[in-house]
């Protein structure tokens, strides 16, 4: 049965229409879906489709071969690329890859989940999209990781871009939901951001602001203490003064800061001259105490005019 393309519809020789909607999922897991059915894809074609899915403008064939197979010679990498192209052509009845001269790009008919969600995140960061009623679905999408378990070098930069984009989007969404007094949704978004990067202070600040807005001072202080302890344990640093200022005036926080200052004072290293000075001072005090009788309080004498 031969299939002919007519716009976005695939028509077979009998005149029946077949769905040609193709989606490529790169978040949480690689998955290619064609016409609503999951399509098995060989590993070489998976890497090629993922690489092109993250480069919507396309890429030169030579650059694709070198980045996908950096440990191989140029002829061997080019052969691997040709093999992956053949595998991609056989994977789906709809063309997945467009070859334009020496450039390769994913076909416009293929919908890539990370590009769609990244566009939504960009609108939130730019302040163009108001918080939707279904913010939980967006938060869930932004918590997904980009191809977890893949260790390819070419993926590191794209993964970092995705992490930064979703962090800013989640924090921006949480802040706007807080302004709208949608505290639960705001808290879910801020907690999702804190889980992505636990040392990042912005998300923890928003969480504390949410607790304070609800009147939950104890929860705000506990969140601050947990974050402070985590930073001390992992990096040996403290939260910024801006974060501490949010809780100024709360008695429980003042007691905690006093304990921290006392602990820091005890742990401060003593220089050698100061240690010698204290030891000398202590020795003199001990000698003075020994020269007096514990019973009479009189100064003792060794018979030679010296106290002992």
């Amino acid at each position: 049965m031969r299939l002919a393309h007519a716009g976005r519809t695939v028509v077979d020789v009998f005149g029946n229409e077949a769905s040609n909607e193709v989606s490529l999922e790169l978040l949480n897991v690689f998955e290619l879906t064609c016409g609503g059915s999951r399509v098995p894809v060989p590993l070489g074609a998976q890497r090629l489709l993922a690489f092109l899915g993250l480069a919507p403008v396309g890429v030169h064939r030579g650059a694709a071969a070198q980045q996908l197979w950096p440990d191989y010679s140029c002829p061997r990498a080019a052969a691997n690329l040709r093999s992956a192209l053949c595998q991609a052509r056989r994977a789906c009845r709809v063309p997945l890859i467009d070859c334009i001269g020496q450039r390769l790009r994913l076909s416009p008919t293929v919908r890539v989940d990370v590009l769609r969600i990244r566009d939504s995140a960009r609108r939130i960061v730019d302040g163009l999209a108001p918080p939707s009623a279904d913010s939980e679905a967006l938060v869930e999408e932004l918590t997904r990781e980009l191809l977890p378990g893949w260790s390819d070098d070419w993926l590191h930069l794209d993964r970092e871009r995705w992490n930064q984009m979703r962090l800013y989007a989640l924090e921006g969404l949480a802040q706007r939901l807080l302004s709208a007094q949608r505290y639960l949704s705001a808290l879910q978004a801020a907690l999702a951001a804190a889980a992505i990067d636990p040392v990042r202070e912005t998300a923890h600040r928003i969480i504390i602001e949410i607790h304070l807005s609800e009147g939950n001072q104890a929860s705000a202080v506990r969140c601050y203490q947990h974050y402070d302890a985590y930073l001390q344990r992992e990096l040996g640093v403290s939260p910024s003064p801006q974060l501490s200022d949010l809780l100024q005036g709360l008695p429980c926080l003042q007691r905690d800061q006093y304990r921290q200052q006392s602990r820091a004072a005890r742990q401060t290293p003593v220089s050698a001259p100061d240690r010698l000075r204290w030891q000398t001072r202590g020795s003199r005090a001990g000698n003075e105490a020994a020269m007096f009788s514990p019973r009479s309080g009189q100064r003792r004498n060794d018979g030679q005019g010296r106290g002992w």
Side-chain angles (χ1 to χ4, degrees):
M1 179 183 298
R2 297 178 59 184
L3 297 176
H5 298 283
R8 292 183 57 83
T9 306
V10 179
V11 183
D12 61 21
V13 295
F14 300 104
N16 299 320
E17 294 185 358
S19 173
N20 68 337
E21 182 177 346
V22 182
S23 63
L24 178 63
E25 297 184 15
L26 303 179
L27 297 178
N28 276 356
V29 65
F30 179 94
E31 185 169 287
L32 179 67
T33 305
C34 182
S37 301
R38 184 179 180 276
V39 178
V41 182
L43 181 59
Q46 286 187 25
R47 299 175 69 242
L48 177 60
L49 290 172
F51 181 78
L52 296 177
L54 296 172
V57 297
V59 64
H60 192 275
R61 293 175 66 105
Q66 291 176 5
Q67 293 190 53
L68 287 171
W69 293 277
D71 297 331
Y72 291 84
S73 63
C74 290
R76 181 67 253 182
N80 290 342
L81 177 61
R82 290 192 296 269
S83 176
L85 285 170
C86 292
Q87 293 172 351
R89 292 192 189 101
R90 293 194 296 263
C92 185
R93 61 176 176 266
V94 178
L96 301 176
I97 300 175
D98 292 341
C99 300
I100 307 172
Q102 291 296 313
R103 293 191 65 81
L104 303 174
R105 72 172 185 179
L106 207 62
S107 174
T109 60
V110 181
R111 301 176 57 187
V112 185
D113 60 347
V114 65
L115 300 183
R116 173 182 58 82
I117 300 173
R118 190 171 63 185
D119 290 342
S120 300
R122 170 62 67 181
R123 291 178 59 83
I124 294 175
V125 173
D126 294 340
L128 301 177
S132 62
D134 191 18
S135 59
E136 293 183 2
L138 180 58
V139 170
E140 192 278 328
E141 289 178 332
L142 291 172
T143 58
R144 301 175 186 174
E145 297 184 15
L146 178 60
L147 294 174
W150 288 37
S151 58
D152 301 62
D153 293 338
W154 58 266
L155 187 57
H156 294 336
L157 186 57
D158 288 294
R159 185 174 284 145
E160 182 62 22
R161 288 197 191 103
W162 167 245
N163 287 339
Q164 292 301 317
M165 176 61 72
R166 61 187 182 138
L167 274 173
Y168 276 91
L170 286 168
E171 292 167 355
L173 179 62
Q175 193 69 62
R176 299 177 70 177
L177 290 170
L178 172 60
S179 300
Q181 298 184 358
R182 296 172 56 183
Y183 298 126
L184 178 58
S185 299
L187 187 60
Q188 295 297 329
L191 289 172
I196 295 173
D197 190 354
V199 303
R200 185 178 172 92
E201 185 171 300
T202 308
H204 294 277
R205 174 179 55 79
I206 298 174
I207 294 173
I208 292 174
E209 290 177 345
I210 295 171
H211 288 313
L212 292 177
S213 298
E214 293 184 291
N216 297 324
Q217 295 183 356
S219 297
V221 172
R222 182 178 60 183
C223 176
Y224 176 88
Q225 292 173 339
H226 288 173
Y227 179 58
D228 182 30
Y230 179 82
L231 290 183
Q232 292 288 345
R233 182 175 65 253
E234 297 295 328
L235 302 175
V237 299
S238 300
S240 69
Q242 291 80 2
L243 184 62
S244 302
D245 289 344
L246 293 176
L247 302 175
Q248 285 300 323
L250 297 182
C252 49
L253 181 62
Q254 292 177 347
R255 289 194 300 269
D256 185 66
Q257 291 176 341
Y258 174 77
R259 296 192 193 100
Q260 292 179 1
Q261 293 173 358
S262 301
R263 183 171 63 250
R266 291 194 300 269
Q267 295 176 352
T268 301
V270 181
S271 61
D274 290 341
R275 187 182 300 110
L276 180 60
R277 190 181 305 113
W278 292 346
Q279 291 175 353
T280 303
R281 188 178 303 167
S283 177
R284 290 176 180 174
N287 292 336
E288 291 292 336
M291 295 172 67
F292 288 88
S293 172
R295 294 184 179 180
S296 63
Q298 300 294 324
R299 186 180 181 87
R300 294 184 180 181
N301 193 288
D302 61 355
Q304 300 180 1
R306 293 177 299 181
W308 61 279

